[in-house]
Every structure is written in C-alpha cells, then in structure tokens.
Amino acid sequence: MHQAAPHIVPISANMDSVAFELSGPKVSRLSELGQLGLDVPKGFAVTTAAFRECLAASGLERKLRRLEEATRIGDADRVAKLSSEMRQLVQTVDIPEALVSEIGRAHDWLGREVGKPDPRLAVRSSATGEDAADKSFAGQYESYLGVTGLADLTQAVRDCWASLFNERAVDYRNRAGRSFVHSPMAVGVVELIEAEAAGVAFSLDPVTGHRDRVVVESTWGFGEALVQGLISPDRVKVDKEATRVIDRHTGDKLQISVFDSSRSRVIETAMPPDKRARPSIDDTLAQRIGGIVRDLEKSVGAPVDVEWVAERREGAAARLVFVQMRPISTIAPEPELPRWRADKIAESWR
C-alpha cells in the first residue's frame, strides 16, 4: 500500500532522501551542515506534500494553473496583476484542520527542544529548484523572522507559499520554461537565534575571483539588513591556508535588524551611533568562520556562501550557528598570478 508523504519532517543530521526531497534546499542544506558537525538551528519543515495537498483540497491548484498560463502571453503589467492575484489567493487559502493540528504539534515539540513554550521563529521559504548551481532562485522568495504563536506561524506558512508567485519568481519560471507545479514550496520553521552579530561568508572573493581567501561580511544584530543590501557591511578577508586576517574594512552601518516585540517581527531601524562605525566581529571570530567555510568548500567540492549568526554567551566564546548554505553560481575568473621573468627583473635594475 502506498504510504502518504509526510506533511512535517524534523530537521536533523539523519534526514533521509525522501525528507530531503520534500523539504527543499534551504532545509536539506541545514541537515547537510548538521551532518558535518556544525551548529544549526533546531526546527522542522512543512513539506511540499502539505503544500500540494492544501492546494488540491481547496481547488486552488486548478485556478493557479490557469492564471500561471495566462502570465505567459501578457506584458509586464499583466504579469504583475496576475501574480498579485495568485498571491492573494494563496495567502487566504483555508488550511485543512488536520494540517493545522500537525503544525501545532510540531510547534509544541520545537518549544520543548529549545526550552521555550512559545519560541521566536524564523520561517523560511524552501522551494524545490531554489539555489541550484545553474539556475539560482535565491532571494526571490520570502522569509519571516520573529514569528511567535501558532496563528502567526500558520499565516507565515501561507505567506511563504504565496511568495512562490512573486512577480519576479513567476517571470523567472516563465523564462526558464518551468511551472510552480514542478517547483512546489516547502517551508522551514526554525528557532530564531538571538543574534549579537550576523552575516555571510564566501569561500572565495566574489569580487576579484581569488580562491585563496574567505571573505566574511558582517553587521550587528540580525543579518537581514546585510542580505537585503541596506548597509555597507564590515568585511574581513581571511587567508585560507594560514587562517589569518589579511585585510579588514569597517563599513558605515546605517541600519540594524532587531526584534520588535510589538510587531513580533525582526525589523530594520537606525543603527545605534556607538555601533555604526565599530567592527561587529573581531579577528578571532573572523578566523573561526574562515576556517569553517574553507573546510565546507572542501566537503562540498565547490565554492559556497553561507549565512551565519553569532549568539553571545556570557563567559564563553560566541555560539556560532549556520543558518544557510548555497553553491556560488556566478564566479569571477580567477586572476592570473604574475609570472617571474628574470630578464624583466634585471632590466628594472639597470
């Protein structure tokens, strides 16, 4: 007898191939990071099976197929109008009571795991096909930070599903000859790490193409202001072989992402003056991140970029948590190293 695909899967280092397929790349890569021994947030995935079954049970899949087909024969204004209609339909879809109960049980489990009955959550879209090395969908779908409570979580899941129909995502799939039917949406639900600082790290220099260094970008607070391009971040370059800092630039960080309890969301606000021009991470933490990202590149077998969060702990080194990993899909050619020519050296001394 055919076993129904699970609607909820816990994120763990021993996720099997079925859980990988159903939970999308953002979630499956958290599992991969856990398998490599790195600290990742605890959480679970609302799988693509839940997404498909909800759309089918509500009769919404047929409507979305018709609207998606209509976007392929219109201009940009028509695509914008139809994608907005699709998002609104998904944002208000009735989620079956049984699925809401499953999400509620997973929410309670996560609260017990992190020792908080109503934890703050990061709810992240994890669409099949996203972050592929050849066709990157990175940044086209939504994430919600600071979600609390079952009702808020359930709506955040809907909103992540709806982001599959963002104008950019619809246009991208049309140009790639793809459909939402073949790129269903899973949703990752994880504990929100209390960030003293956060950022991204690249296992090569994304600007120059140099492969001999890790580039670490950072800011105070949560990393949203950085990944959205709202600030000029701090930037530290770490030599891969010696794991030492070879260059450092402190950015003018005008904004900070912080948790706003009145909205139950992470928001952007003005950076406190005492932090604006102060480095958000020291050399020790930069070197620690650099060494881990260097080893990640070796394990993956390709250049990667990762998102990380540093949680301060009294009397101990910061807790370093990795929340995302992607292959780097666009790589600048590595500069040719200078060749030593004895005749030119001799000529310069004449």
Side-chain angles (χ1 to χ4, degrees), residues 244-255:
R244 62 181 178 86
V245 172
I246 56 176
D247 187 56
R248 171 184 279 278
H249 167 76
T250 301
D252 187 14
K253 302 174 289 295
L254 298 175
Q255 291 187 293

Side-chain angles (χ1 to χ4, degrees), residues 231-252:
I231 63 166
S232 173
D234 300 333
R235 187 173 292 109
V236 184
K237 297 181 180 180
V238 179
D239 177 77
K240 279 184 179 177
E241 184 175 355
T243 322
R244 62 181 178 86
V245 172
I246 56 176
D247 187 56
R248 171 184 279 278
H249 167 76
T250 301
D252 187 14

Side-chain angles (χ1 to χ4, degrees), residues 243-310:
T243 322
R244 62 181 178 86
V245 172
I246 56 176
D247 187 56
R248 171 184 279 278
H249 167 76
T250 301
D252 187 14
K253 302 174 289 295
L254 298 175
Q255 291 187 293
I256 184 172
S257 298
V258 297
F259 180 74
D260 183 341
S261 57
S262 67
R263 304 185 201 180
S264 189
R265 283 291 184 275
V266 169
I267 64 166
E268 281 67 54
T269 188
M271 180 73 72
D274 64 320
K275 290 186 173 182
R276 179 172 164 179
R278 183 154 59 94
S280 50
I281 60 172
D282 59 19
D283 283 2
T284 299
L285 184 55
Q287 290 167 332
R288 185 177 162 197
I289 294 169
I292 291 171
V293 173
R294 173 200 61 201
D295 294 343
L296 268 178
E297 181 183 61
K298 290 179 182 178
S299 297
V300 172
V304 296
D305 79 72
V306 299
E307 294 182 23
W308 54 269
V309 178

Side-chain angles (χ1 to χ4, degrees), residues 308-327:
W308 54 269
V309 178
E311 181 181 43
R312 187 173 65 164
R313 297 186 295 186
E314 294 295 335
R319 179 190 176 196
L320 185 58
V321 184
F322 289 86
V323 298
Q324 195 166 321
M325 176 178 69
R326 292 177 294 258

Side-chain angles (χ1 to χ4, degrees), residues 19-141:
F20 263 51
E21 182 180 355
L22 293 173
S23 59
K26 279 199 178 80
V27 170
S28 60
R29 288 192 180 118
L30 284 179
S31 175
E32 291 173 356
L33 290 169
Q35 289 172 16
L36 294 170
L38 299 181
D39 194 347
V40 299
K42 299 179 184 298
F44 60 91
V46 181
T47 68
T48 56
F51 170 76
R52 289 182 186 278
E53 290 180 28
C54 183
L55 294 191
S58 64
L60 194 53
E61 182 180 332
R62 292 189 300 275
K63 293 180 183 178
L64 293 171
R65 280 176 179 260
R66 288 196 299 268
L67 290 168
E68 180 183 58
E69 189 62 33
T71 66
R72 295 179 178 140
I73 57 174
D75 57 16
D77 290 341
R78 181 175 172 82
V79 171
K81 178 179 180 297
L82 293 173
S83 65
S84 176
E85 186 176 344
M86 287 189 279
R87 288 197 307 276
Q88 290 174 20
L89 287 170
V90 178
Q91 285 170 329
T92 56
V93 67
D94 286 331
I95 298 180
E97 187 175 330
L99 178 55
V100 174
S101 295
E102 286 189 72
I103 295 172
R105 288 192 293 273
H107 175 268
D108 292 344
W109 165 82
L110 180 55
R112 292 190 297 272
E113 286 290 302
V114 302
K116 299 174 183 177
D118 193 13
R120 295 175 186 171
L121 304 171
V123 182
R124 298 183 179 275
S125 303
S126 185
T128 306
E130 183 181 1
D131 296 344
D134 57 339
K135 293 181 180 178
S136 178
F137 285 76
Q140 295 191 12
Y141 305 128

Side-chain angles (χ1 to χ4, degrees), residues 55 57 94 196 200 203 218 328:
L55 294 191
D94 286 331
E196 180 182 38
V200 297
S203 66
S218 66
I328 298 177

